Each structure stands twice: as C-alpha cells, then as structure tokens.
Amino acid sequence: MIIKQYIEPNEGFSQAVVVRTGTYKTIYISGQIRDGENLEAQTIACFKNIEKQLTNCNATFKDVVKMNTFIVNFNPEIDLPIFRKIRSQYLGDCNFPASTLVGATVLGNKNWLIEIEAIAVVA
C-alpha cells in the first residue's frame, strides 16, 4: 500500500510529498528558491529551505539520494565553485547524492538565480 503525505501545501503544489511504502519513505522536495542579492546568498537560502523540508519529514541531508539544480545564466568558472562550496557545507565532502546541474535562461521569477530540488529515502 502507498500512503502519501503532503507537506506545506500551497496553491498548485506542496513543498514536499512523503510517499510511504512498507518500511521506507521517499521524500520529494519541490524546487527551493529564495530571493537574495547574489548567487551565493540564494544558494545558502535554498539549502536552508531544503534542510527545513527534510527536518519537517524527520530526515537529514544524509538521506538525500538525488538533487537537481538549476542556475540562471550558468558560468561554470564562476558559479560552480560558489555552488560546490555551499553544497559541501551541507552535504560534506564525500558520498554525494546523484546530481544534475542545468544552466537555465530563467526560472519562475526573474529575480531567482538558483532552484534546487531533492529526493530523500529513509528506512
């Protein structure tokens, strides 16, 4: 049997959906964003938002198995070191989740520079 729990539902989406099957739960966290003055500030805010959603679901970054990141006007030489520095503060320096990073033209709001979504599995 599959049981779904919707976390912080909003108009048209939920911040996270927890799917329970047997003794496992999979947590699907919507793309997290936040306004800020630059990519670094917004990236820190995104990871804090993900951490909040994980905490809401009794999980941690150690449970994350997949992350998708979208960065507006991505420049690998400039943006990748910023992203990696902040990511390591939350995920450490090894045993990273499977990850995708996509350069995007625009996100859902013209002021957003980054959006990160995550999937976590808890036994």
Side-chain angles (χ1 to χ4, degrees):
M1 178 167 54
I2 296 176
I3 300 169
K4 296 179 192 174
Q5 178 185 3
Y6 299 90
I7 310 298
E8 292 189 42
N10 289 288
E11 186 178 328
F13 73 100
S14 294
Q15 289 295 330
V17 177
V18 178
V19 178
R20 296 177 192 275
T21 55
T23 59
Y24 294 95
K25 70 178 177 182
T26 303
I27 304 160
Y28 299 89
I29 298 174
S30 292
Q32 298 297 302
I33 50 82
R34 183 66 72 199
D35 288 328
E37 61 186 58
N38 56 36
L39 179 64
E40 183 174 12
Q42 288 190 24
T43 302
I44 291 167
C46 285
F47 275 99
K48 285 182 180 181
N49 287 350
I50 292 169
E51 186 172 50
K52 176 186 176 217
Q53 295 309 318
L54 289 166
T55 300
N56 286 346
C57 299
N58 297 315
T60 70
F61 277 106
K62 291 180 181 182
D63 301 310
V64 174
V65 297
K66 175 73 170 123
M67 293 183 78
N68 294 322
T69 303
F70 306 90
I71 298 177
V72 174
N73 299 322
F74 181 66
N75 179 330
E77 291 80 28
I78 296 171
D79 301 333
L80 195 55
I82 293 168
F83 175 74
R84 284 182 172 163
K85 178 185 86 167
I86 296 163
R87 180 185 64 181
S88 71
Q89 293 171 4
Y90 288 87
L91 298 177
D93 293 322
C94 62
N95 298 322
F96 292 115
S99 296
T100 300
L101 192 155
V102 177
T105 305
V106 67
L107 297 171
N109 179 305
K110 66 179 181 165
N111 297 317
W112 299 340
L113 302 175
I114 186 169
E115 184 167 355
I116 306 172
E117 58 186 29
I119 300 171
V121 177
V122 179

